[in-house]
């Protein structure tokens, strides 16, 4: 897929690195020259431009991209970028980062947002889950997104993917399921292809609702 990411801060760079490692074509857009660090994600393309300017997005040929990720640290920027991507360029999938949970009500399809991700709310859900909600091998819905679920599943001891690289799990996932994070002993880490999964890991997925059962079967006991 071709994916454009608005915002080359820590979040944008991390997303770009993961997607590039997984074989996607990635374009990073940022208006701050200090944020353009080509060596940080050498496989990505870079554009020094304002993602809120229609002319900049025309220069980026945004209509040729499958997904736009509005990942800046400014909710206003993310909303404007999302709206332009959807209404002016017809991008099929727009994912937006919510920095301030108080602005969550704005991140809807009215602003062109297909999937809104709030890191504070996600982390709060993970903390709540430490109380023991959900069992090993049973998906736990952390957040309801339009046509998509954010799910947590604890890897059972005898799961076939325990003690195997994350790349093998990602290769076996249903088409509409993406592994986005691994939580191990309270620490969140990115799912690098070479990361070895361990029994007890909490795996965070983005999944279409109809694939939840297939995901549970895949990661259940062997």
């Amino acid at each position: 897929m071709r994916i454009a990411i608005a915002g080359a801060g820590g979040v944008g760079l991390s997303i770009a690195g993961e997607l590039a490692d997984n074989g996607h074509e990635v374009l990073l857009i940022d208006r701050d020259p200090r944020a353009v660090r080509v060596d940080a994600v050498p496989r990505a393309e870079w554009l020094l431009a304002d993602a809120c300017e229609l002319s900049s997005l025309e220069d980026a040929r945004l209509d040729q991209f499958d997904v736009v990720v509005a990942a800046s640290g400014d909710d206003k920027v993310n909303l404007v970028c999302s709206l332009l991507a959807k209404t002016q360029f017809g991008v099929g999938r727009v994912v937006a980062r919510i920095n301030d949970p108080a602005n969550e009500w704005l991140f809807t399809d009215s602003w062109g947002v297909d999937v809104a991700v709030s890191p504070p709310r996600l982390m709060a859900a993970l903390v709540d889950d430490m109380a023991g909600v959900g069992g090993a091998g049973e998906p736990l819905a952390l957040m309801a997104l339009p046509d998509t679920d954010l799910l947590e599943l604890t890897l059972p001891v005898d799961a076939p993917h325990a003690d195997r690289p994350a790349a093998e799990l990602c290769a076996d996932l249903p088409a509409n399921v993406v592994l986005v994070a691994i939580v191990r002993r309270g620490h969140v880490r990115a799912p690098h292809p070479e990361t070895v999964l361990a029994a007890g890991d909490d795996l965070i997925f983005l999944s279409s609702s109809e694939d939840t059962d297939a995901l549970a079967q895949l990661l259940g006991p062997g």
Side-chain angles (χ1 to χ4, degrees):
M1 288 194 300
R2 300 197 71 197
I3 302 165
I5 300 173
V11 172
L13 287 177
S14 296
I15 296 171
E18 293 297 322
L19 292 172
D21 286 344
N22 289 332
H24 298 290
E25 296 181 37
V26 177
L27 170 67
L28 275 160
I29 306 172
D30 203 293
R31 66 180 181 180
D32 186 350
R34 296 169 298 179
V36 179
R37 293 177 286 157
V38 177
D39 292 342
V41 190
R43 288 178 297 280
E45 297 180 44
W46 289 78
L47 178 64
L48 179 62
D50 188 340
C52 293
E53 291 289 340
L54 184 61
S55 58
S56 297
L57 299 181
E58 289 174 342
D59 290 341
R61 298 182 178 178
L62 211 66
D63 58 319
Q64 299 180 14
F65 284 81
D66 304 295
V67 180
V68 165
V69 181
S72 82
D74 188 325
D75 284 344
K76 296 187 295 295
V77 170
N78 292 341
L79 285 169
V80 172
C81 177
S82 297
L83 184 63
L84 291 175
K86 182 64 70 174
T87 61
Q88 300 298 313
F89 298 94
V91 176
R93 195 71 164 168
V94 177
V95 180
R97 171 189 178 188
I98 305 172
N99 295 279
D100 184 349
N103 295 329
E104 187 173 343
W105 65 278
L106 289 166
F107 285 75
T108 67
D109 55 2
S110 297
W111 279 91
V113 178
D114 295 305
V115 177
V117 180
S118 171
R121 187 175 293 277
L122 173 58
M123 295 309 296
L126 290 173
V127 171
D128 283 342
D129 184 48
M130 291 178 184
V133 179
E138 177 185 351
L140 171 68
L142 296 177
M143 192 183 307
L145 303 172
D147 301 319
T148 308
D149 291 327
L150 190 62
L151 302 173
E152 179 200 2
L153 191 148
T154 301
L155 196 64
V157 173
D158 52 354
H161 289 91
D163 302 317
R164 306 299 302 169
E168 294 185 12
L169 169 60
C170 293
D172 292 339
L173 290 175
N176 294 318
V177 178
V178 178
L179 176 63
V180 296
I182 301 169
V183 183
R184 181 178 298 168
R185 293 188 291 274
H187 296 283
V188 181
R189 59 185 65 193
H192 296 293
E194 67 276 8
T195 300
V196 176
L197 302 177
D201 283 352
D202 292 320
L203 307 180
I204 312 300
F205 299 91
L206 276 176
S207 168
S208 62
S209 300
E210 62 268 21
D211 287 315
T212 300
D213 291 341
L215 181 61
Q217 289 182 346
L218 176 65
L219 294 179

